[in-house]
């Protein structure tokens, strides 16, 4: 899930092809449906992204009572309005009436706290929870920002790798070479410095033990001379999320696919390509869809379509993850150069689940 930031943005306004009274306000590559005439290209306004939870007073002020997602109708979600995808809200809340938006744009000011806006946290099903312990040395996963929000992360023509983004739950495994200890966590617990105590009923422990991932991590640590190894995989199947890829977490057909590896070598934590450092067949890997020069059109095309994990195109594809062939820092997001592009069909599907 992406980082929540509520910022002032310069808008580009487009005509709505199917509605005379509506227009499309563009932020990055996102477009949000707005009332016609409310904004012009070059105007500045506040952009509230998807997965933001709004205080009810703000929901009422924006005229959105009963129109947002969630039990309290207070969560921003992608929707189609008159056939056009609308992602996020563009507005000028009264609480910011005296704010110089030009200064806010230049300073990249985050107004989430001032407006009382928080990030939606998905519920945790019992199979994804359990007893936890402190894990200060766990190798954590990072939030991946959406390419459409930050289109400048990659340079045109830069060598990149696109892998299929799976709709499951991220599983973190850290192996400590010094004593052979293993800690397993979810992305949510890992971000809090917590690991799940070993439990054969737990989804994540079932996945790593079922694929002998601790032994793979031990062999990798020996090959690399690493003090710690992090294996990051997606656990998927029926009983995990609504997209199952032919797997079933309620039986012995639990799906697991590694999407990233990290290693602490000589005191430095490095991000590594699983396809390069793991032996063929050691662990299942997420499908690799493209390796070549970065091209936005190619990315958006591959983000849509049918999944390839099952080999049977059972349902829609969630999207893709983009990373440079050579790992690097991105000043655009202030961290690792990695991004996701999500299928519009995935965002607007009915009955979707978003457990973390």
């Amino acid at each position: 899930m992406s980082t929540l930031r509520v910022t002032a943005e310069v808008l580009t306004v487009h005509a709505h092809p199917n509605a005379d009274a509506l227009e499309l306000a563009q932020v990055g590559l996102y477009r949000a449906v707005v009332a016609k005439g409310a904004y012009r290209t070059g105007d500045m306004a506040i952009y509230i992204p998807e997965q933001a939870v709004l205080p009810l007073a703000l929901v009422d002020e924006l005229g959105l009572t009963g129109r947002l997602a969630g039990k309290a109708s207070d969560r921003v979600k992608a929707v189609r309005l008159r056939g056009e995808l609308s992602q996020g809200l563009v507005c000028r809340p009264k609480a910011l009436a005296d704010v110089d938006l030009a200064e806010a744009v230049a300073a990249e000011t985050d107004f989430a706290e001032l407006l009382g806006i928080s990030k939606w946290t998905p519920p945790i099903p019992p199979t994804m929870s359990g007893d936890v312990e402190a894990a200060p040395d766990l190798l954590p996963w990072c939030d991946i920002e959406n390419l459409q929000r930050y289109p400048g992360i990659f340079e045109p023509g830069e060598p990149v790798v696109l892998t299929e983004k799976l709709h499951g739950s991220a599983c973190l495994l850290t192996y400590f070479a010094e004593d052979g200890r293993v800690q397993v966590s979810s992305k949510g617990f890992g971000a809090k410095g917590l690991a799940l105590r070993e439990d054969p009923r737990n989804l994540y422990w079932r996945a790593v033990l079922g694929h002998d991932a601790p032994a793979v991590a031990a062999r990798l640590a020996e090959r690399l001379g690493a003090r710690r190894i992090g294996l990051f995989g997606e656990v998927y199947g029926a009983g995990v999320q609504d997209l199952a890829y032919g797997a079933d977490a309620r039986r012995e057909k639990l799906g697991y696919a590694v999407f990233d590896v990290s290693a602490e070598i000589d005191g430095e934590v490095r991000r590594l390509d699983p396809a390069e450092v793991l032996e063929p067949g050691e662990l299942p890997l997420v499908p690799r869809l493209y390796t070549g020069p970065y091209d936005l059109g190619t990315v958006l095309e591959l983000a849509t379509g049918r999944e390839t994990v099952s080999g049977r195109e059972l349902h829609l594809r969630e999207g893709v993850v983009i990373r440079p062939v050579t790992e690097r820092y991105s000043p655009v997001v202030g961290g690792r150069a990695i991004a996701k592009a999500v299928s519009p069909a995935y965002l607007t599907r009915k009955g979707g689940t978003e457990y973390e």
Side-chain angles (χ1 to χ4, degrees):
M1 189 176 291
S2 305
T3 305
L4 174 73
R5 297 187 73 246
V6 177
T7 53
E9 301 288 343
V10 179
L11 308 177
T12 301
V13 178
H14 305 270
H16 191 301
N18 305 313
D20 293 336
L22 300 175
E23 290 179 312
L24 301 168
Q26 182 168 325
V27 175
L29 297 179
Y30 285 138
R31 291 186 176 188
V33 173
V34 294
K36 187 170 184 177
Y39 305 99
R40 295 180 179 179
T41 294
D43 284 352
M44 287 165 279
I46 301 302
Y47 177 70
I48 303 175
E50 297 170 73
Q51 311 299 4
V53 177
L54 278 57
L56 294 181
L58 182 57
V59 173
D60 182 60
E61 177 191 328
L62 299 178
L64 297 173
T65 300
R67 297 170 62 186
L68 298 183
K71 291 182 179 180
S73 297
D74 58 357
R75 173 162 52 91
V76 180
K77 185 179 180 182
V79 295
R80 285 197 179 275
L81 297 173
R82 297 294 297 272
E84 289 296 305
L85 185 64
S86 181
Q87 295 179 261
L89 302 175
V90 169
C91 59
R92 289 179 180 148
K94 295 177 182 177
L96 304 182
D98 296 328
V99 171
D100 186 321
L101 293 184
E103 288 184 2
V105 169
E108 299 182 350
T109 306
D110 184 358
F111 293 107
E113 184 175 355
L114 190 152
L115 293 172
I117 296 173
S118 59
K119 179 179 176 179
W120 179 62
T121 302
I124 303 177
T127 56
M128 299 183 193
S129 189
D131 294 331
V132 296
E133 60 186 8
D137 296 321
L138 186 82
L139 290 167
W141 182 238
C142 58
D143 277 323
I144 300 181
E145 302 297 348
N146 199 306
L147 182 68
Q148 291 176 278
R149 183 69 179 87
Y150 300 98
I153 294 177
F154 303 101
E155 295 293 331
E158 175 181 3
V160 295
V161 173
L162 272 61
T163 53
E164 184 166 346
K165 190 177 189 307
L166 307 191
H167 187 43
S169 185
C171 173
L172 288 56
L173 179 152
T174 299
Y175 170 80
F176 300 87
E178 185 177 16
D179 56 10
R181 186 164 47 98
V182 172
Q183 288 189 315
V184 171
S185 191
S186 66
K187 186 175 77 170
F189 283 127
K192 300 174 183 177
L194 298 172
L196 289 154
R197 290 197 172 98
E198 185 172 350
D199 185 338
R201 299 167 298 179
N202 178 266
L203 183 79
Y204 307 105
W205 275 102
R206 284 175 56 204
V208 300
L209 294 178
H211 289 82
D212 206 15
V216 174
R219 292 196 297 270
L220 183 58
E222 185 174 1
R223 292 199 296 267
L224 299 176
R227 176 178 172 269
R228 288 183 294 169
I229 291 290
L231 296 179
F232 305 90
E234 198 78 6
V235 182
Y236 61 89
V240 181
Q241 303 280 14
D242 59 299
L243 306 183
Y245 307 95
D248 194 335
R250 299 164 298 189
R251 299 182 176 85
E252 297 305 313
K253 293 178 62 181
L254 176 62
Y256 176 70
V258 173
F259 55 79
D260 202 29
V261 170
S262 63
E264 182 190 346
I265 303 171
D266 298 329
E268 178 188 357
V269 176
R270 307 175 189 176
R271 297 285 186 177
L272 306 170
D273 186 339
E276 292 184 0
V277 297
L278 294 177
E279 298 291 343
E282 273 193 305
L283 288 172
L285 307 181
V286 294
R288 183 168 298 209
L289 304 178
Y290 172 83
T291 301
Y294 173 73
D295 173 71
L296 178 60
T298 299
V299 171
L300 297 181
E301 180 181 353
L302 288 173
T304 62
R306 309 296 291 180
E307 58 85 17
T308 66
V309 182
S310 69
R312 294 178 284 163
E313 299 187 339
L314 294 176
H315 47 69
L316 57 81
R317 177 178 297 167
E318 177 180 348
V320 294
V321 173
I322 312 101
R323 58 195 294 172
V325 169
T326 302
E327 188 73 21
R328 66 171 177 83
Y329 171 86
S330 167
V332 175
V333 293
R336 185 183 183 192
I338 188 169
K340 61 185 176 183
V342 181
S343 160
Y346 167 84
L347 291 170
T348 56
R349 74 197 189 285
K350 302 297 184 183
T353 58
E354 298 292 342
Y355 304 125
E356 192 169 272

